[in-house]
């Protein structure tokens, strides 16, 4: 059986899936969703879920933690930020923290827009990788839609964050960047910034999404799963290295 035949095995030949079916199947029968993307590149329902859950997290943080506490926790985790604020008077420091808290709050509300921007960049990178690097014939729209669906498991982190905050989470230890223990970095709070960032990539939810992306790109781009895995894991390793280096340099 050829690579293309393997990649497209199970492609739906009957009526297409509804938007709700596509979301559900992403978790229980992802091949059905990914084959259906070849029929319909609609991604509005995953985005709607992102809006609802991300704003739910924002409201939970606002009521249960407070944005100035969020900022203080981030400062405590960053020696360079501590050094930058050490020379300020108490009044200047309070004003700086207040300004940062406002920025964090409104950035959190704007998170869905940032997701769209990042998703567009990621989809463009995947489209270029598969079309020019692997000789596939896919479209930017298919890759963008695929990226949105493959990110659905990450909404579980948002739901866990909301649950944790409302059932007794500790505001003093809340980490906006790593709120729940789904990754190794969460369990090494005293690790260096670079190592902690690298460990954060070993996340059970993130790896789930990575596996979905390998399966999805093999179907949508019609390449073997081996080639899809090489491309996706290659990007994953590169981004891990860049993120760890940036965290070490700026934190």
């Amino acid at each position: 059986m050829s690579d293309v035949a393997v990649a497209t095995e199970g492609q739906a030949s009957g009526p297409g899936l509804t938007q709700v079916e596509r979301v559900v199947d992403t978790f229980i029968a992802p091949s059905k969703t990914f084959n259906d993307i070849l029929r319909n590149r609609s991604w509005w329902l995953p985005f709607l879920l992102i809006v609802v859950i991300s704003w739910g997290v924002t409201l939970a943080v606002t009521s249960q933690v407070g944005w100035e506490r969020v900022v203080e926790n981030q400062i405590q985790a960053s020696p360079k930020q501590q050094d930058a604020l050490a020379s300020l008077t108490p009044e200047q420091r309070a004003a700086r923290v207040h300004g940062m808290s406002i920025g964090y709050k409104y950035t959190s509300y704007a998170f869905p827009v940032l997701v769209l921007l990042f998703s567009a960049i990621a989809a463009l990178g995947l489209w270029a990788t598969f079309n020019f690097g692997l000789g596939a014939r896919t479209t930017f729209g298919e890759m963008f839609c695929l990226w949105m669906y493959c990110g659905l498991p990450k909404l579980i982190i948002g739901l866990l964050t909301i649950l944790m905050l409302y059932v007794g989470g500790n505001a003093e230890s809340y980490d906006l960047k790593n709120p729940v223990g789904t990754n190794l970095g969460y369990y090494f709070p005293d690790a260096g910034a670079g190592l902690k960032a690298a460990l954060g990539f070993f996340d059970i939810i993130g790896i789930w999404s990575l596996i979905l992306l390998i399966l999805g790109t093999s179907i949508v781009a019609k390449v073997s799963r081996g080639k899809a895995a090489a491309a996706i894991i290659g990007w994953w390793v590169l981004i891990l290295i860049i993120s760890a280096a940036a965290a070490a340099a700026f934190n």
Side-chain angles (χ1 to χ4, degrees):
M1 184 178 293
S2 68
D3 286 348
V4 172
V6 171
T8 57
E9 183 179 0
Q11 184 168 338
S13 58
L17 302 176
T18 67
Q19 297 302 306
V20 172
E21 287 173 335
R22 278 163 61 136
V23 168
V24 173
D25 281 343
T26 300
F27 292 91
I28 63 173
S31 293
K32 292 182 179 179
T33 295
F34 301 148
N35 277 302
D36 200 61
I37 288 173
L38 295 170
R39 177 190 65 86
N40 182 346
R41 294 171 294 185
S42 176
W43 46 267
W44 64 266
L45 186 53
F47 180 67
L48 179 61
L49 294 174
I50 290 170
V51 172
V52 171
I53 294 177
S54 67
W55 284 357
V57 172
T58 298
L59 293 174
V61 172
T62 300
S63 64
Q64 303 301 116
V65 181
W67 291 97
E68 292 197 6
R69 180 70 262 172
V70 169
V71 172
E72 290 287 359
N73 291 349
Q74 295 302 309
I75 291 172
Q76 291 174 14
S78 173
K80 290 189 176 181
Q81 286 194 49
Q82 293 179 36
D83 292 342
L85 295 174
S87 60
L88 301 180
T89 66
E91 293 77 11
Q92 289 173 326
R93 188 184 190 283
R96 179 73 62 84
V97 169
H98 179 67
M100 291 172 67
S101 70
I102 293 175
Y104 272 64
K105 179 179 180 179
Y106 287 107
T107 299
S108 186
Y109 276 113
F111 181 74
V113 177
L114 299 178
V115 168
L116 285 180
L117 177 60
F118 179 78
S119 297
I121 295 171
L124 183 62
L126 290 177
W127 172 81
T129 299
F130 280 85
N131 279 24
F132 298 110
L134 299 179
R137 290 184 177 274
T138 185
T139 68
F140 170 80
E142 289 170 345
M143 286 297 181
F144 185 88
C145 181
L146 176 66
W147 182 271
M148 296 295 286
Y149 277 95
C150 289
L152 283 173
K154 295 181 180 179
L155 296 181
I156 295 172
I157 296 175
L159 293 174
L160 290 174
T161 300
I162 294 170
L163 179 63
M164 179 267 293
L165 289 175
Y166 280 114
V167 298
N170 184 2
E172 301 296 321
S173 61
Y174 176 74
D175 184 351
L176 182 68
K177 297 178 181 179
N178 197 356
V180 292
T182 60
N183 65 83
L184 292 179
Y186 182 89
Y187 300 100
F188 295 89
D190 298 324
L195 176 59
K196 189 174 180 180
L199 290 174
F201 276 72
F202 294 90
D203 184 297
I204 188 170
I205 304 296
I207 292 173
W208 182 359
S209 290
L210 196 71
I211 293 170
L212 288 179
L213 199 57
I214 291 170
L215 175 61
T217 50
S218 72
I219 291 173
V220 172
K222 299 182 178 66
V223 300
S224 71
R225 290 181 187 173
K227 290 180 179 179
I232 298 302
I233 293 174
W235 273 111
W236 182 82
V237 171
L238 177 62
I239 296 171
L240 184 157
I241 294 170
I242 293 172
S243 298
F250 296 106
N251 291 297

